[in-house]
Amino acid sequence: MAGELRHRRVPSEDGDGDKGVVASSQRFDSADGSSKAGTSSSGGAGGEGAEPRREKRDALGWLEWGRGWIAVVGEFLFQRIAASHLANPLELPPLDGVSIVVTGATSGIGLEMARQLALAGAHVVMAVRRPKVAQELIQKWQNENSETGRPLNAEVMELDLLSLDSVVKFADAWNARMAPLHVLINNAGIFAIGEPQRFSKDGHEEHMQVNHLAPALLASLLIPSLLRGSPSRIVNVNSIMHTIGFVDAEDMNLRKHKYKSWLGYSNSKLAQVKFSSMLHKKIPAEAGISVVCASPGIVDTNVARDLPKIVVAAYHLIPYFIFDAQEGCRSALFAASDPQVPEYCEMLKSEDWPVCACINYDCNPMNASEEAHNLETSQLIWEKTLEMIGLPPDALEKLIAGETVQCHYGQQEAE
């Protein structure tokens, strides 16, 4: 495996790795020198020493933005070297009796994850828009695995993330089984390169809905099943592109700001990190639900056309640096299956780290972007997200307590 996760903490800027996660927190600075990490609102973690409320921003500072792009380019150039110690495919522990939902499991890294998890013995639920394609894949894997004589425990359930009604329907169907769910992998996502801005029938910008809002609703509504499967995990497949994103809670659908497809994508991925971090902080430790964001690296897909020309040229001229799906799924598989992950999440929670556990493409901890550490804006994103997905502000608390929650979408109750 990838080694001792709990000992591989995010390094501090001065290189001192012996002071623990909180002591090694980066005090990020914006272009005007204001501090970003660890800042909280009066009701958040920070107590009496919390900094005064800052003036509202509507974009990243130029220094933050530049550091974000350096991170993107650095990942492109060095990911294969950094991950050279990993086995390919990643070795998985036996997963018999473990139920795992994987969204977007008919292509790319989602397909590869579903296949490897099923081969490891897990009960895999392929949550997809095209059930027929998923059924064909299961049959193909079964045929390829026929020599072992062991049938794969995989099934298909329909889920369309462009419809929040579909998300509620899926969650209701799974919760009705009264069965435990051990892992939810929110893998499905879109990056509509160069395409004009589009909105779902629910009225949300498509990147924001598919990459953030729908997964947030799915994770929230499946809390009862995740509690039954405790210790359980929510794994959100994220991206290094979150480092160049900025989310305005008052304009998450980018109706007021100038739209670019890369901006819609990066903003949605940052929103996912911020919501995940608040979910991580708000779920009681005794609930036993770990929340993780996993970055797959830059994987062989056709998503680079809208990036800066120098990145596009490198993307197409130096394919050696790009991961294939089998390599790209390793971080999410690690986050979903390695026994060290819950311990790492508990450590971050106990030390009041402002961001949820983030696993890099090399299966090591990574530090999220500077803006991701802003607890004040993360709380705003949390509140606005719940409003946009039709859940009341106290939905999480009620679901954990086993109470009924009414969702605006689906016109059905989640219990």
Side-chain angles (χ1 to χ4, degrees), residues 157-159 164-179 217-218 220-225 228 391 399 404-407 409-415:
M157 293 179 66
E158 187 171 359
L159 173 65
L164 296 181
D165 287 337
S166 176
V167 175
V168 175
K169 181 179 179 181
F170 177 96
D172 284 346
W174 179 267
N175 287 334
R177 300 183 181 189
M178 300 301 291
L217 178 59
L218 182 62
S220 299
L221 295 181
L222 288 176
I223 288 292
S225 293
R228 284 191 285 270
L391 291 178
L399 288 167
T404 298
V405 171
Q406 183 71 43
C407 180
Y409 295 94
Q411 300 301 311
Q412 297 182 40
E413 291 183 342
E415 298 183 348

Side-chain angles (χ1 to χ4, degrees), residues 114 118 122-126 134-135 137-138 141-142 151-156:
H123 169 211
V124 177
V125 180
M126 301 173 70
Q135 292 287 4
L137 285 170
I138 292 175
W141 299 339
Q142 190 65 66
L152 300 182
N153 187 6
E155 64 171 300
V156 179

Side-chain angles (χ1 to χ4, degrees), residues 269-296:
K269 288 301 184 179
L270 176 61
Q272 185 180 59
V273 174
K274 293 173 84 65
F275 184 88
S276 299
S277 298
M278 297 309 297
L279 183 62
H280 159 77
K281 292 176 73 68
K282 292 174 182 293
I283 293 177
E286 57 270 21
I289 302 176
S290 302
V291 183
V292 186
C293 285
S295 177

Side-chain angles (χ1 to χ4, degrees), residues 51-198:
E51 297 176 10
R53 191 180 185 92
R54 294 187 300 271
E55 292 185 5
K56 181 179 179 295
R57 300 192 304 163
D58 60 3
L60 290 180
W62 66 268
L63 194 57
E64 295 171 88
W65 187 82
R67 283 196 290 243
W69 275 113
I70 290 173
V72 173
V73 175
E75 179 168 297
F76 170 80
L77 293 175
F78 301 112
Q79 65 175 12
R80 187 167 293 281
I81 297 172
S84 61
H85 65 285
L86 294 179
N88 187 35
L90 190 73
E91 181 183 354
L92 297 178
L95 297 173
D96 301 82
V98 177
S99 294
I100 305 176
V101 170
V102 183
T103 67
T106 54
S107 64
I109 63 176
L111 183 157
E112 189 61 30
M113 274 192 285
R115 185 184 71 85
Q116 291 189 40
L117 291 168
L119 291 174
H123 169 211
V124 177
V125 180
M126 301 173 70
V128 299
R129 287 187 301 112
R130 300 175 294 169
K132 182 179 179 181
V133 174
Q135 292 287 4
E136 292 172 351
L137 285 170
I138 292 175
Q139 186 60 53
K140 176 185 176 183
W141 299 339
Q142 190 65 66
N143 294 339
E144 294 172 348
N145 195 50
S146 59
E147 294 182 0
T148 67
R150 179 183 182 182
L152 300 182
N153 187 6
E155 64 171 300
V156 179
M157 293 179 66
E158 187 171 359
L159 173 65
D160 181 3
L161 297 183
L162 278 171
S163 167
L164 296 181
D165 287 337
S166 176
V167 175
V168 175
K169 181 179 179 181
F170 177 96
D172 284 346
W174 179 267
N175 287 334
R177 300 183 181 189
M178 300 301 291
L181 177 61
H182 301 99
V183 185
L184 167 64
I185 303 180
N186 281 316
N187 163 75
I190 61 170
F191 191 172
I193 297 294
E195 295 292 326
Q197 188 175 23
R198 294 193 178 95

Side-chain angles (χ1 to χ4, degrees), residues 99-389:
S99 294
I100 305 176
V101 170
V102 183
T103 67
T106 54
S107 64
I109 63 176
L111 183 157
E112 189 61 30
M113 274 192 285
R115 185 184 71 85
Q116 291 189 40
L117 291 168
L119 291 174
H123 169 211
V124 177
V125 180
M126 301 173 70
V128 299
R129 287 187 301 112
R130 300 175 294 169
K132 182 179 179 181
V133 174
Q135 292 287 4
E136 292 172 351
L137 285 170
I138 292 175
Q139 186 60 53
K140 176 185 176 183
W141 299 339
Q142 190 65 66
N143 294 339
E144 294 172 348
N145 195 50
S146 59
E147 294 182 0
T148 67
R150 179 183 182 182
L152 300 182
N153 187 6
E155 64 171 300
V156 179
M157 293 179 66
E158 187 171 359
L159 173 65
D160 181 3
L161 297 183
L162 278 171
S163 167
L164 296 181
D165 287 337
S166 176
V167 175
V168 175
K169 181 179 179 181
F170 177 96
D172 284 346
W174 179 267
N175 287 334
R177 300 183 181 189
M178 300 301 291
L181 177 61
H182 301 99
V183 185
L184 167 64
I185 303 180
N186 281 316
N187 163 75
I190 61 170
F191 191 172
I193 297 294
E195 295 292 326
Q197 188 175 23
R198 294 193 178 95
F199 295 88
S200 70
K201 68 176 185 178
D202 301 309
H204 304 307
E205 194 273 323
E206 288 191 354
H207 288 100
M208 187 60 68
Q209 173 149 339
V210 174
N211 299 341
H212 167 54
L213 296 175
L217 178 59
L218 182 62
S220 299
L221 295 181
L222 288 176
I223 288 292
S225 293
L226 288 163
L227 287 171
R228 284 191 285 270
S230 178
S232 54
R233 313 180 192 195
I234 299 170
V235 178
N236 294 317
V237 178
N238 202 257
S239 169
I240 189 64
M241 291 285 285
H242 86 273
T243 60
I244 57 173
F246 181 87
V247 189
D248 182 351
E250 298 176 5
D251 187 30
M252 289 178 64
N253 284 319
L254 288 176
R255 294 182 182 273
K256 301 175 184 177
H257 294 74
K258 184 177 180 181
Y259 175 82
K260 294 181 180 179
S261 57
W262 65 265
L263 190 60
Y265 179 78
S266 59
N267 287 8
S268 69
K269 288 301 184 179
L270 176 61
Q272 185 180 59
V273 174
K274 293 173 84 65
F275 184 88
S276 299
S277 298
M278 297 309 297
L279 183 62
H280 159 77
K281 292 176 73 68
K282 292 174 182 293
I283 293 177
E286 57 270 21
I289 302 176
S290 302
V291 183
V292 186
C293 285
S295 177
I298 299 178
V299 187
D300 186 13
T301 59
N302 191 27
V303 299
R305 294 193 307 267
D306 204 33
L307 300 179
K309 292 182 180 179
I310 186 172
V311 180
V312 175
Y315 194 98
H316 291 293
L317 294 179
I318 318 177
Y320 165 79
F321 293 96
I322 309 300
F323 285 164
D324 59 28
Q326 184 169 276
E327 294 167 317
C329 73
R330 290 179 296 189
S331 60
L333 288 175
F334 178 88
S337 64
D338 194 278
Q340 304 169 80
V341 171
E343 298 176 25
Y344 183 59
C345 292
E346 289 174 12
M347 181 187 70
L348 295 181
K349 184 184 289 287
S350 67
E351 297 183 352
D352 205 23
W353 187 244
V355 184
C356 68
C358 295
I359 304 298
N360 210 1
Y361 56 83
D362 60 357
C363 297
N364 280 309
M366 67 175 286
N367 208 352
S369 74
E370 305 158 40
E371 179 60 24
H373 285 70
N374 188 328
L375 288 176
E376 182 179 317
T377 57
S378 293
Q379 177 63 30
L380 293 175
I381 295 303
W382 169 268
E383 294 169 358
K384 188 62 177 181
T385 295
L386 292 179
E387 177 186 328
M388 294 171 73
I389 61 179

